[in-house]
Amino acid sequence: PVVHPPEEITLVESLVDHPELGELIRDYLPLDLVSDPACRTIIETICNWTGETPLDLTSELIDENEECKRLAAQIQCTPPRAQGHEITPDLAVKDSILYIRRKALERERAGLEAQRDKVTGPDHERLDAQCKQLTLDIKMLRGSWDKALPLLDL
């Protein structure tokens, strides 16, 4: 069986249970940052849902690959997660967005660090400055949603 990133599955589960939260995804999560193709397709489908009719993922995903349809069916059959008093569906989606955005910046930083280690002089300085900025951005995304918002709005 295909292994899907747990944090992306968590986001899909939240959106299946609360498709109205797709607006947060549209505003704060570029879909190309979702690494798993099946999760990305399901998230995109939910984000394109207008709310005029009940969300029917099965029919919406009819033309997608088997893994995407299997995953959607599995998630739809999973009972909604019990939310704690502090964790609302809105907060769960925001946490997923912060996590996915942070992981993307960590991947970008790792790539820049590899480039930086191969060069000297001004190129090294420039790449080092970019790495330091990414480290600051990553730390900001570890904080609260409100503190991370200025970075998310970029």
Side-chain angles (χ1 to χ4, degrees), residues 4-16:
H4 302 279
E7 66 279 359
E8 294 180 14
I9 292 291
T10 299
L11 179 57
V12 173
E13 288 172 343
S14 296
L15 290 173
V16 165

Side-chain angles (χ1 to χ4, degrees), residues 53-115:
T53 59
L55 178 62
D56 180 3
L57 270 182
T58 307
S59 65
E60 293 289 334
L61 298 170
I62 197 79
D63 295 330
E64 297 300 331
N65 65 48
E66 291 307 311
E67 179 55 25
C68 184
K69 292 188 275 194
R70 187 205 62 75
L71 180 62
Q74 174 187 324
I75 289 172
Q76 286 179 301
C77 292
T78 304
R81 290 178 182 245
Q83 303 287 344
H85 294 297
E86 301 85 31
I87 303 293
T88 63
D90 180 73
L91 198 52
V93 169
K94 288 177 177 178
D95 283 350
S96 293
I97 291 170
L98 291 176
Y99 184 88
I100 292 168
R101 297 271 308 244
R102 191 170 67 241
K103 288 295 171 195
L105 290 182
E106 288 170 357
R107 287 190 300 272
E108 182 181 349
R109 181 180 62 187
L112 289 176
E113 287 170 342
Q115 289 177 29

Side-chain angles (χ1 to χ4, degrees), residues 4 10-11 18 26 32 38 43 52 56 64 71 81 84 90 94 112-113 118 120 126 130 132 136 138 140 147 149 151:
H4 302 279
T10 299
L11 179 57
H18 301 279
R26 284 191 297 276
D32 62 328
I43 291 168
E52 294 167 11
D56 180 3
E64 297 300 331
L71 180 62
R81 290 178 182 245
D90 180 73
K94 288 177 177 178
L112 289 176
E113 287 170 342
K118 295 176 186 172
T120 57
R126 179 181 53 78
Q130 288 176 323
K132 288 176 180 170
L136 292 174
I138 290 164
M140 187 178 278
K147 287 183 181 172
L149 212 45
L151 186 62

